[in-house]
Amino acid sequence: MKIGIGIDTGGTCTDAVIYQFEDKKILAYGKSPTTKNDLSIGIGNALDVLPKDLINEAEVIALSTTLATNACVENKGGRAKLIFFGINPENVARTGSEYGLEHMDQLIFIDSKTKPNGEIVEYPDWEDFQKNISAWLGDCDAVGVVELFAQKTGAQLEKKAKELIQKELKIPVVCGYTLFAENNIIKRGASALLNARLIFVIEEFLAAVKKALQDRNIDIPFVIVRSDGSLMSGEFTATRPVETLLCGPVASVMGAAELTSEENCIVVDIGGTTTDIAFVKNGVPQRVKNGVRIGKWDTFVKGLFVDTGTPPIIVTSVLSVNSVPGMWQIKS
């Protein structure tokens, strides 16, 4: 009889369950207020409600959280900036806000020229770049870096910039090429900047989980729910926290579909910060086509379709559900 533990940390409450896989049965459930000053306390309190004998039988822990989602909605996160190589600042000023790049003072533009075939015809002035690193980035917790046609150049400029920045400042540097390969450099840049902003948020969460488990002598491997409903390791999550966008609501969708066996349904997840709505058709949760969009951020993150917002989203989403391809016609 395989048993697993599920832990979800939201903006208001932290929940823990013990689940029996074979019979698809929840054996125990615990809830505790989320302790934002120290997340490990709330996680530990939720775990303490669960029967210890069942915890000892568990083989895996699955984590989900709305911390990244809430950070986007509330415009929170670590201090970060984004470096662009080879793109005109006027283009970003004109369209950047469509993707979440609203503040030009968070962006640094480095002159370089690259042909569409990946040939770099004008390299950056690396000496000047290195000289200004501390002035540009000294107040940052993390940095995003993207270059034009990176998929063709082998991301030469991104890699060089990362090397120089980390030599000087020793802070996380998110290279766009490690996240997504799509051509739209502005959207790729927004995804990289958001990933950089979320590193601190998810690091804090993962550290809290580890502390809560260690304090209770629980030595069980854990995985984290990804935006598309799949699972990822803690190591992967730490470097790509943007992949946790909407992972809390996504876990709700996957769990609801699994527990109810409903082929066609609307799943509504009402939390203290956001309300999230998703759709299941023919037993399959619906997916976004062009990447997850949340708050002001439009990203390349692959994921399930989840409409998220403050409580009025219940009304607006359900009344417009016919806008989702292939879904039902629902009238007020």
Side-chain angles (χ1 to χ4, degrees):
M1 182 175 69
K2 186 174 181 179
I3 289 177
I5 298 173
I7 301 173
D8 176 80
T9 296
T12 305
C13 292
T14 295
D15 301 279
V17 299
I18 293 182
Y19 181 73
Q20 201 263 88
F21 288 89
E22 185 178 348
D23 297 328
K24 298 183 180 180
K25 185 178 179 181
I26 295 175
L27 304 180
Y29 171 74
K31 178 184 285 289
S32 174
T34 294
T35 48
K36 296 184 179 181
N37 60 315
D38 184 348
L39 295 173
S40 69
I41 297 174
I43 294 170
N45 289 341
L47 285 170
D48 288 341
V49 180
L50 305 178
K52 291 184 179 180
D53 58 329
L54 292 179
I55 291 178
N56 292 334
E57 293 182 39
E59 300 178 35
V60 66
I61 297 175
L63 307 174
S64 65
T65 181
T66 57
L67 293 174
T69 302
N70 294 347
C72 292
V73 173
E74 298 171 344
N75 196 31
K76 295 180 179 179
R79 298 169 300 174
K81 290 183 180 179
L82 174 66
I83 298 175
F84 276 112
F85 285 98
I87 185 170
N88 190 325
E90 294 180 0
N91 294 337
V92 180
R94 186 172 61 253
T95 64
S97 61
E98 298 176 14
Y99 305 100
L101 302 179
E102 296 180 335
H103 305 290
M104 293 295 287
D105 59 349
Q106 296 179 342
L107 311 179
I108 298 168
F109 297 89
I110 306 298
D111 290 334
S112 66
K113 291 183 181 179
T114 304
K115 293 182 178 180
N117 65 359
E119 180 186 355
I120 301 175
V121 296
E122 182 180 319
Y123 282 85
D125 183 340
W126 290 118
E127 184 176 344
D128 182 71
F129 181 90
Q130 188 169 12
K131 186 187 305 181
N132 286 285
I133 287 174
S134 293
W136 289 336
L137 308 174
D139 60 345
C140 290
D141 300 314
V143 181
V145 182
V146 290
E147 69 173 284
L148 193 62
F149 306 126
Q151 67 275 25
K152 295 289 187 179
T153 67
Q156 294 180 47
L157 307 187
E158 293 183 15
K159 294 175 182 177
K160 178 69 173 180
K162 178 178 180 177
E163 176 188 342
L164 293 175
I165 294 169
Q166 290 192 319
K167 183 178 180 181
E168 182 75 21
L169 299 179
K170 295 179 175 57
I171 59 176
V173 179
V174 179
C175 292
Y177 84 94
T178 65
L179 298 175
F180 309 105
E182 285 81 355
N183 287 324
N184 185 333
I185 187 175
I186 300 179
K187 187 171 181 177
R188 193 152 38 88
S191 301
L193 177 59
L194 180 57
N195 193 82
R197 285 168 56 91
L198 293 176
I199 286 175
F200 173 77
V201 175
I202 296 304
E203 274 185 350
E204 184 181 28
F205 172 61
L206 294 177
V209 171
K210 292 176 182 177
K211 183 177 186 303
L213 296 178
Q214 289 172 355
D215 288 348
R216 289 155 182 81
N217 296 315
I218 300 174
D219 186 15
I220 305 172
F222 64 79
V223 292
I224 298 93
V225 176
R226 202 171 181 173
S227 301
D228 62 1
S230 61
L231 301 174
M232 52 187 173
S233 68
E235 292 76 13
F236 185 88
T237 305
T239 59
R240 297 183 61 154
V242 73
E243 298 283 0
T244 69
L245 284 181
L246 299 173
C247 85
V250 166
S252 296
V253 176
M254 303 300 290
E258 180 73 10
L259 290 171
T260 65
S261 300
E262 290 289 343
E263 291 291 312
N264 299 285
C265 60
I266 300 172
V267 180
V268 182
D269 181 346
I270 302 175
T273 306
T274 63
T275 293
D276 307 283
I277 293 183
F279 311 98
V280 178
K281 181 185 178 185
N282 297 328
V284 180
Q286 300 300 285
R287 302 173 63 89
V288 293
K289 291 183 177 180
N290 301 312
V292 170
R293 184 178 184 98
I294 179 167
K296 68 178 184 179
W297 299 96
D298 189 6
T299 75
F300 278 125
V301 177
K302 308 300 184 292
L304 303 188
F305 176 89
V306 178
D307 197 353
T308 188
T310 51
I313 201 72
I314 297 175
V315 177
T316 58
S317 291
V318 173
L319 293 183
S320 63
V321 67
N322 60 328
S323 66
V324 181
M327 295 306 295
W328 315 275
Q329 301 291 318
I330 297 181
K331 299 181 180 179
S332 57

